[in-house]
Amino acid sequence: MAAGDRVTRPGHVQYGDFLMGPGTPYRWQSLTGWEDLPGLDSGTVLRADAHGAFPGQLLAQTRTVVLDGLIIRARRDSIGAAIAAVSTATVPVDDELPLVAWLDERGPLLVRARATRRAIPVGRGYRAGTITGGAIQWEATDPRRYEMVERTAAGGLPVAEPGLAWPLAWPLSFGTPGSTGALTAANDGNAPTHPVIEFRGPVARPSLTNVSSGDVLEYDLPLTARDVLTVDTSAGTVVLNGTASRIYTATARSVPEQTFTFPPGPTPLIFRAAPGSSDPSSSATVRYRSAYW
């Protein structure tokens, strides 16, 4: 199941594989908390000897999304099945599921959330196959909303250009252009986004530097041609070949993984390694989504 794979037009809301909106038995009237700014924890401290305060860091809280005015319409002999589908889709779960909403011409956006409340009124219309006034509430621990398609950028270690071949012959051939080890990640949203970074060998002490901020992620270990070191900056994990933690290999100049983000706009990056490690088949790949408040 791909996130939002059933969302095809404005008005659609999909949680896991459960779709609501046009063309379904489930309509809704309002969606609160989706376009709202999430609650913020402020580190601002009042000045002790002057007016005002010292501005502190603002950290977003969880995002609460409420779909109100849920209307369920079905035949009298199948209203129970329609309600059962809502109930099954919104049972309490341990892991967050994708919640996708498409509201307007900007297209769908994605959060990961869990259903925390469900209300299905039982009134006079129940036996007639029409239920109105229902509601579903979700809580997303990551309050940012993300674009649907994951982006990637990749680069290899610097490789010098071969230059002219002797003896010279017209037309001149300068050979294949060398690699600079540079790559760029473009976050088209308005919130910082956490990338997943994959270092592939053979390479020793791989590192990735954010040229704009100077932040570096660097790991003092050798990778063979079969090795992949995956750094999940959101989870703060560093895993070798999908199983073994290698977070302890971070060097002294490496920043904490969860502080390594791509702000809105382009972020220039540089892939480097230990001196003498220059195999052209090694690479660094970043995977990320543009993020929105």
Side-chain angles (χ1 to χ4, degrees), residues 89-272:
T90 55
V91 296
V93 293
D94 292 333
D95 296 327
E96 292 177 313
L97 300 175
L99 173 64
V100 177
W102 186 349
L103 302 184
D104 51 43
E105 74 280 359
R106 293 172 296 176
L109 290 175
L110 160 75
V111 300
R112 297 192 68 85
R114 296 186 296 179
T116 56
R117 173 176 166 261
R118 177 187 70 230
I120 305 294
V122 178
R124 295 180 62 183
Y126 189 99
R127 295 298 300 274
T130 300
I131 297 173
T132 60
I136 303 174
Q137 176 178 292
W138 296 273
E139 183 180 75
T141 54
D142 181 351
R144 291 164 293 186
R145 299 172 298 160
Y146 295 92
E147 66 181 345
M148 299 298 296
V149 179
E150 187 176 68
R151 303 186 181 202
T152 61
L157 288 171
V159 177
E161 296 186 0
L164 291 171
W166 295 86
L168 297 178
W170 190 262
L172 297 178
S173 174
F174 289 85
T176 304
S179 171
T180 63
L183 52 153
T184 300
N187 176 5
D188 291 342
N190 55 26
T193 188
H194 281 89
V196 173
I197 303 160
E198 294 179 342
F199 294 108
R200 296 180 180 272
V203 65
R205 202 196 309 154
S207 69
L208 189 70
T209 301
N210 181 332
V211 177
S212 297
S213 66
D215 289 345
V216 180
L217 291 177
E218 182 179 65
Y219 302 96
D220 191 10
L221 81 167
L223 300 178
T224 69
R226 296 183 178 181
D227 288 335
V228 179
L229 186 70
T230 303
V231 182
D232 187 330
T233 62
S234 178
T237 58
V238 181
V239 178
L240 179 64
N241 298 329
T243 57
S245 175
R246 290 294 183 270
I247 195 167
Y248 61 85
T249 64
T251 68
R253 73 189 193 106
S254 188
V255 300
E257 284 74 17
Q258 290 177 312
T259 68
F260 194 91
T261 62
F262 297 157
T267 298
L269 305 163
I270 294 179
F271 172 40
R272 292 292 187 267

